[in-house]
Amino acid sequence: MSEEREYVLGTDEAELNRLGLQHRLWADAAGNQWRRARFGPGMRLLDLGCGPGFATRDLCELAGRTGAVVAADLSQRFIDFVRAHPTTPGSAPIEAHCIDAHDLHTAIDESSLDGVYLRWVLHFTPEPPMVIEQAARALKPGGRLAVQDYSNWQGLHWGPLNHTLPILRHGILTSYKEVRADSNVGSIVPALCERHGLRVIEVTPLTRVFTPADPLWMWPDSYFRSYLPRIAERGHLSADELDAIMAEWQALGEEPGAMFFGPIQIEVIAEKM
């Protein structure tokens, strides 16, 4: 990480826009999980690894004026963005902290939260067990943890054109290993919850399959266009490999019957005993 403790995918204006698009495309999945986790009005909720706070503001609407939402992220730039964008009238206020998820205890009191939400956070944390331990410590008895993360990132696939897929997977996963990211972390989340005093209530597989006509096509498209040039600069893809991947991706978008298969994810809901 840089001295600014920057998110591995970046925190510049382009990444802010990409994250906003990503949240809009996945807001239905987030809302469904919050309902199943029984997040609701009057609760004190934590959006851990909140980024620029797009999900945070939705949680504020859910918690309402009698609730409270804590936003926590490693990036000061993201936290500044959260603070600069107030919630809508009738929503819960936001308490924002620039903090490492491994050090949550320095800002959040023990047994003070009704719910904790982590979406695509654990696979970018060097010590997922410590993050789950910190979340469990902050939850009240009966409070709930809701996690969405990757359990088989290698499951990313597209067709019928797919000659460059092995190069793409290798380049991205190598870049993730560089920052100690575990792209299959979802497979150990239930065990981590049980280890730290959280009773697993629900484990649900989550994946998406879509065509170029589906709005979700913009999700991988924006990710590839933003992140692949970054990892090429870091030497994980050559210029020729990057060009070949993007040319195939562009052609795929114009191919009749083209399909994109998102990486396999897992949703976990657990309750503090």
Side-chain angles (χ1 to χ4, degrees):
M1 291 185 183
S2 71
E3 289 184 11
E4 297 176 20
R5 298 161 57 147
E6 188 167 278
Y7 174 48
V8 66
L9 301 183
T11 58
D12 57 15
E13 189 70 22
E15 181 61 10
L16 280 169
N17 292 333
R18 189 193 73 81
L19 289 172
L21 170 67
Q22 176 176 263
H23 175 67
R24 291 193 298 275
L25 294 171
W26 284 88
D28 60 333
N32 286 337
Q33 188 179 28
W34 297 342
R35 284 189 289 274
R36 300 197 312 273
R38 299 180 186 171
F39 292 177
M43 289 186 171
R44 179 173 168 83
L45 305 171
L46 168 64
D47 187 4
L48 184 54
C50 64
F54 298 112
T56 307
R57 281 182 280 279
D58 286 354
L59 284 169
C60 288
E61 293 185 9
L62 182 63
R65 66 174 71 251
T66 60
V69 175
V70 181
D73 199 89
L74 182 68
S75 166
Q76 184 65 57
R77 197 170 301 165
F78 281 160
I79 292 301
D80 290 344
F81 188 90
V82 171
R83 290 172 176 160
H85 292 77
T87 60
T88 57
S91 295
I94 297 177
E95 173 190 325
H97 296 279
C98 182
I99 188 172
D100 191 309
H102 303 86
D103 299 324
L104 193 60
H105 65 281
T106 63
I108 308 297
D109 291 338
E110 185 174 354
S111 301
S112 65
L113 300 173
D114 298 293
V116 177
Y117 178 57
L118 295 100
R119 177 173 64 179
W120 300 318
V121 174
L122 290 174
H123 73 285
F124 283 134
T125 57
E127 299 292 340
M130 188 181 299
V131 176
I132 295 295
E133 179 184 19
Q134 292 284 297
R137 173 193 168 277
L139 282 168
K140 301 174 182 177
R144 292 191 170 190
L145 173 72
V147 177
Q148 177 186 334
D149 221 315
Y150 296 107
S151 60
N152 183 9
W153 199 97
Q154 294 90 332
L156 181 149
H157 190 72
W158 68 58
L161 308 173
N162 52 34
H163 303 294
T164 64
L165 265 173
I167 300 170
L168 172 103
R169 292 195 197 100
H170 181 266
I172 291 175
L173 293 178
T174 300
S175 77
Y176 283 0
K177 287 180 181 178
E178 187 178 55
V179 294
R180 296 176 63 194
D182 180 357
S183 57
N184 299 325
V185 70
S187 61
I188 65 170
V189 169
L192 293 179
C193 289
E194 295 285 353
R195 185 184 305 168
H196 294 293
L198 301 172
R199 179 175 63 90
V200 174
I201 296 171
E202 177 186 307
V203 177
T204 305
L206 177 65
T207 188
R208 296 287 172 86
V209 181
F210 42 89
T211 72
D214 192 308
L216 264 172
W217 194 265
M218 294 186 289
W219 176 52
D221 183 75
S222 62
Y223 171 77
F224 295 151
R225 295 185 188 281
S226 172
Y227 191 55
L228 295 187
R230 295 176 188 268
I231 65 173
E233 289 176 2
R234 303 208 308 261
H236 298 296
L237 291 173
S238 70
D240 288 344
E241 288 172 334
L242 175 60
D243 289 345
I245 291 168
M246 295 311 298
E248 181 171 275
W249 177 250
Q250 183 69 30
L252 186 72
E254 301 166 2
E255 183 78 15
M259 301 289 290
F260 181 87
F261 301 79
I264 299 171
Q265 302 177 58
I266 193 171
E267 291 180 310
V268 178
I269 297 173
E271 183 176 79
K272 185 170 181 176
M273 295 182 287

